[in-house]
Amino acid sequence: MADNLPTEFDVVVVGTGLPESIIAAACARSGQRVLHVDSRNYYGGNWASFSFSGLLSWIKENQQKTDLSDECEEWRKLILEDEEAIPLSSKDKTIQHVEDFCFGDQDSAEGVEEAGALPKLPVFGAPAAQGVSPGPEKASPAAEGIPLGSEESPAAEGSPPGLEKENPAVESPGEEPQSPEAEQPPSCEGDGAGAAPGTAAGDPAPQPAQAEAAPSENAAQEPKKISYSQIVREGRRFNIDLVSKLLYSRGLLIELLIKSNVSRYAEFKNATRVLAFREGKVEQVPCSRADVFNSRQLTMVEKRMLMKFLTFCLDYEQHPEEYQAYESSTFAQFLQTRKLTPSLQHFILHSIAMVSETESSTLEGLQATKKFLQCLGRYGNTPFLFPLYGQGEIPQCFCRLCAVFGGIYCLRHAVRCLVLDRASGRCKAIVDHFGQRISANYFIVEDSYLSESTCTNVCYRQISRAVLITDQSVLNTDSEQQVSVLTVPPLEPGRAAVCAIELCSSTMTCMKDTYLVHLTCPSTKTAREDLEPVVQKLFNLNTEKETENEELEKPRVLWAVYFNMRDSSGVEKSSYAGLPSNVYVCSGPDSALGNDCAVKQAETIFREMFPTEEFCPPPPNPEDIIYDEDEIEPEESGLNNSPETKPETSAEESSSEDWGRADGHKGVQEAEQH
């Protein structure tokens, strides 16, 4: 493997999280030679998604306290006298306090095998531009091109406009094709999801109406009993995110996906509801103008109050006299001065602005409210989109763009150290676990790879996370296919509000008749201590049949995991000890709902490295591409009907909007091979 890897690159990227993947794509797009490596066997790092069995393996790995300090350091012999080594960590220490619980008969799952599971990959694989599958047991997502920028046409209910059912399926970076015999998930209701995992272009896909008719008819009936063995057997139906986020429809990530045309590698579904938890009950929050006027929980007076305040928030900068006297106050205190009822104050503070009741200033609240309102209506009745098959798809999409433009990907490829040239003070190379030196001009390193000595002066925050598999929604309606966002205010002083995202089966993240619930908040204690009180408020944790009527009304938790994740966002580069100027550090996920932090970080680092280059420019227009003479000659010889001599019929089709989408698998695969 080491012999096949080039020894010189322009940029070496270590780690495949979202910011690193965006940078790698931007560098390759601008013509740089990029090597992208990760010691893990899956894409995404702490941004990854797993099947259920894949998550169980991840849990087991992070619960083991393995000491790798006695590891062989033969690589030190490769460091010359005028060089210095900056060792990288061989153990990811960003995840702590991992606790998982099964609220069913776990013994019944003994001997049960996951349906359609692929054989596990070997420990080390050969480097390839097409990459390696993101976890040996994850189902292959079918990613259809989605012109996210098409917002002129009216949106279908719960569906971003521009979804095209006829688009052929395109594999995610390096995904192994799923066996035709493997069971396929249904296509999503209202999303125009054409091909299920493993279905090729033109294959008949399950009909959405047929797939989802039964749940809506039986919505009022008792939820079906789901056993742990069923969850294990249907484990490939799950795509469970390590980090829980949504995409603001006018946020930086959506704009980047549209600009770079990376959106063609993914599908998205609208978040259909914004919920609030008030006085012990879950309620739906009216967001859009239509929602406000159709709401039955608001009086006519409250509707006028709410519309007047939201209209003010859209152009609050034009009316500074309205808020200047309260700039030193919190947003909650400012809302009290606006003659709003307690219920309206609660909705605006916790479910629209989604800011802290005790810490967020008036300006922060107004800015957050304006952002929420500006994102309404672009693709649906809420400001949010969710990527089908989980957040882990987004880093893979940018990895795929990098691969198309020549980037080389190696998973399960550890880097032992950075090599520092003492004379210039710059990093000149890396040494990998094969003992090969690979030189480059710039180095991007994910924070989790830095050693403790490098991070001595860094003060990290923590994120508390919980993932639950439940048997019904926190707020049942006629339709079971709801994607909901719920903010639970602090249950006691000193605690943070908890953001809950509930995903249905049409998001391709969980099996039918179950829901996947993600809970997130900044840590004050361990994840279980921070989040279990909220879980107990919203869900039924009792496994015994004899429970109170109130408990029976709540969704039952079938399985849960709690863990703390390091939040390294906002750490200045100067906090890291001894890093050369041409080594850049990317942080892991932050606790915010959106992805703006990762996109800003990626763009800032790229512009520092290549100030004259455009950041992730749009794809080239095929009409402007000038081909080499070697490519033109066969056309002149009369062989222009051959696919190999007509690149414009594969990855470079007739318009920039459809670039790389025509001819599905074939076009992207040909581009990657080059």
Side-chain angles (χ1 to χ4, degrees), residues 286-503:
C287 299
S288 65
R289 185 183 297 268
D291 287 343
V292 172
F293 286 111
N294 292 331
S295 174
R296 294 181 179 180
Q297 64 200 92
L298 299 179
T299 65
M300 285 303 299
V301 174
E302 286 181 315
K303 290 178 181 180
R304 293 193 190 99
M305 287 179 177
L306 182 59
M307 288 306 303
K308 182 178 180 181
F309 180 77
L310 296 181
T311 302
F312 156 71
C313 289
L314 273 172
D315 60 350
Y316 72 91
E317 297 100 334
Q318 309 302 320
H319 306 282
E321 70 281 357
E322 298 274 349
Y323 64 86
Q324 276 183 340
Y326 305 98
E327 287 186 0
S328 59
S329 305
T330 64
F331 186 52
Q333 292 170 337
F334 173 70
L335 291 176
Q336 293 172 3
T337 69
R338 301 295 298 187
K339 299 180 181 179
L340 298 168
T341 63
S343 61
L344 291 182
Q345 292 180 38
H346 182 95
F347 289 160
I348 294 168
L349 181 67
H350 296 293
S351 301
I352 295 179
M354 299 183 189
V355 294
S356 170
E357 185 173 354
T358 57
E359 297 178 6
S360 298
S361 67
T362 298
L363 279 177
E364 289 172 342
L366 291 173
Q367 290 167 358
T369 305
K370 180 177 180 179
K371 180 179 180 180
F372 183 99
L373 297 172
Q374 285 178 326
C375 294
L376 285 173
R378 188 178 193 185
Y379 298 120
N381 287 332
T382 73
F384 307 113
L385 293 176
F386 181 82
L388 298 192
Y389 305 99
Q391 292 288 336
E393 291 298 292
I394 304 299
Q396 291 184 68
C397 289
F398 285 99
C399 290
R400 191 172 188 83
L401 177 65
C402 178
V404 166
F405 284 92
I408 294 180
Y409 278 83
C410 298
L411 297 187
R412 299 178 297 281
H413 196 101
V415 176
R416 297 303 185 207
C417 71
L418 304 172
V419 181
L420 175 66
D421 181 66
R422 289 179 176 172
S424 64
R426 291 174 62 86
C427 185
K428 60 191 295 188
I430 61 169
V431 176
D432 65 13
H433 60 173
F434 290 107
Q436 182 181 8
R437 288 172 62 109
I438 300 171
S439 61
N441 297 323
Y442 299 98
F443 301 84
I444 315 298
V445 183
E446 180 193 324
D447 175 88
S448 66
Y449 284 93
L450 298 177
S451 65
E452 291 185 5
S453 59
T454 304
C455 304
T456 302
N457 300 323
V458 180
C459 183
Y460 291 114
R461 296 185 297 270
Q462 297 286 326
I463 303 169
S464 290
R465 290 276 292 114
V467 182
L468 317 176
I469 299 174
T470 67
D471 64 349
Q472 59 178 316
S473 174
V474 291
L475 182 62
N476 287 317
T477 58
D478 293 338
S479 172
E480 289 188 354
Q481 298 305 311
Q482 301 277 7
V483 178
S484 309
V485 187
L486 167 65
T487 302
V488 181
L491 298 181
E492 58 184 63
R495 296 293 184 95
V498 174
C499 178
I501 298 176
E502 183 184 73
L503 305 173

Side-chain angles (χ1 to χ4, degrees), residues 597-611:
C597 179
V599 179
K600 287 178 182 177
Q601 185 179 51
E603 183 171 3
T604 299
I605 291 175
F606 177 82
R607 294 195 185 283
E608 286 185 21
M609 294 191 297
F610 307 107

Side-chain angles (χ1 to χ4, degrees), residues 82-140:
D82 59 343
E83 297 173 343
E84 183 179 338
I86 303 177
L88 296 183
S89 176
S90 56
K91 177 68 174 177
D92 184 357
K93 298 181 180 179
T94 59
I95 305 296
Q96 296 178 332
H97 311 299
V98 183
E99 301 177 78
D100 61 313
F101 303 91
C102 177
F103 296 92
D105 183 9
Q106 197 162 359
D107 294 337
S108 64
E110 289 184 5
V112 176
E113 293 186 0
E114 190 176 69
L118 296 171
K120 291 189 176 182
L121 297 173
V123 177
F124 298 115
Q130 68 267 25
V132 191
S133 67
E137 299 169 347
K138 182 182 174 185
S140 288

